[in-house]
Amino acid sequence: DAKTTQPPSMDCAEGRAANLPCNHSTISGNEYVYWYRQIHSQGPQYIIHGLKNNETNEMASLIITEDRKSSTLILPHATLRDTAVYYCIPSAGGTSYGKLTFGQGTILTVHP
Amino acid sequence: NAGVTQTPKFQVLKTGQSMTLQCAQDMNHEYMSWYRQDPGMGLRLIHYSVGAGITDQGEVPNGYNVSRSTTEDFPLRLLSAAPSQTSVYFCASSKGDRVETQYFGPGTRLLVL
């Protein structure tokens, strides 16, 4: 699995967009990029995933660079409830049988 | 749907005791897994199952047993609890065609004295 680099922590003002970067320069061609978050004391929550194209759902947008070496998760209008640890996880599926490798992630703090 | 449920929410054990952590899902998901999370660390995969009757080891399987007799249930058994197994345990499930999109339970906090 590809290794990832995420900033340890970020701050964001409530109502503003939160842009969380992830570097995955060793990602292989068949690996998707998954994003999860974990709110304090809760189980992780799936947010979004993508392979090459940018993706958007009701929670967030995912921007993947053309060379696929990095991606950015965008929370368009952050709220206090978005304060959590955000994990960027490359995964190929198939023989990895869904083994998600959770690193240290980015602690996002949304403040009033 | 209740999603993924876990019981108990919190448990205290003495060294050497055994216990079973329960996990159930009502989404008819083929894939289920157990993770543990130690303070300040990411999640580590203990065991997983791709369907009823099929289980396999993850990253840190020692000291734990699993079985999958039904699609809905995936219990995790601690054979002889040790202080090193003090952790928060999360169960997850997903559909077989997208196993990386996993739904997690609320967790069981285990303290082994």
Side-chain angles (χ1 to χ4, degrees), chain A residues 58-70:
Chain A
E58 64 278 4
M59 291 183 66
S61 294
L62 175 61
I63 307 298
I64 302 173
T65 58
E66 192 169 345
D67 62 9
R68 301 206 332 116
K69 292 184 177 182
S70 65

Side-chain angles (χ1 to χ4, degrees), chain A residues 17-58:
Chain A
N19 297 284
L20 293 97
C22 179
N23 180 288
H24 35 78
S25 59
T26 60
I27 195 169
S28 60
N30 63 342
E31 285 186 299
Y32 286 75
V33 179
Y34 285 79
W35 282 82
Y36 279 77
R37 73 180 182 183
Q38 187 173 24
I39 298 170
H40 182 62
S41 298
Q42 298 182 20
Q45 178 187 24
Y46 164 80
I47 302 173
I48 198 168
H49 74 279
L51 182 62
K52 295 180 180 179
N53 300 322
N54 299 336
E55 303 288 345
T56 296
N57 63 19
E58 64 278 4

Side-chain angles (χ1 to χ4, degrees), chain B residues 7-101:
Chain B
T7 56
K9 292 183 178 178
F10 182 71
Q11 183 72 47
V12 179
L13 289 178
K14 294 181 179 179
T15 297
Q17 288 184 316
S18 63
M19 79 161 294
T20 299
L21 281 63
Q22 301 292 344
C23 174
Q25 52 91 10
D26 61 358
M27 298 173 282
N28 201 31
H29 284 170
E30 297 91 341
Y31 181 91
M32 296 186 74
S33 57
W34 278 101
Y35 294 85
R36 61 177 287 175
Q37 185 173 34
D38 299 320
M41 297 183 65
L43 280 74
R44 292 184 292 171
L45 183 66
I46 304 172
H47 285 285
Y48 65 93
S49 169
V50 299
I54 305 170
T55 64
D56 206 346
Q57 296 180 350
E59 180 185 356
V60 288
N62 292 339
Y64 307 95
N65 273 359
V66 292
S67 60
R68 184 95 179 271
S69 57
T70 67
T71 298
E72 295 77 20
D73 300 298
F74 190 43
L76 178 72
R77 282 181 287 276
L78 279 69
L79 308 173
S80 177
S84 61
Q85 293 179 304
T86 293
S87 190
V88 181
Y89 292 84
F90 292 102
C91 178
S93 73
S94 60
K95 290 179 64 64
D97 60 348
R98 184 51 67 194
V99 294
E100 294 86 1
T101 304

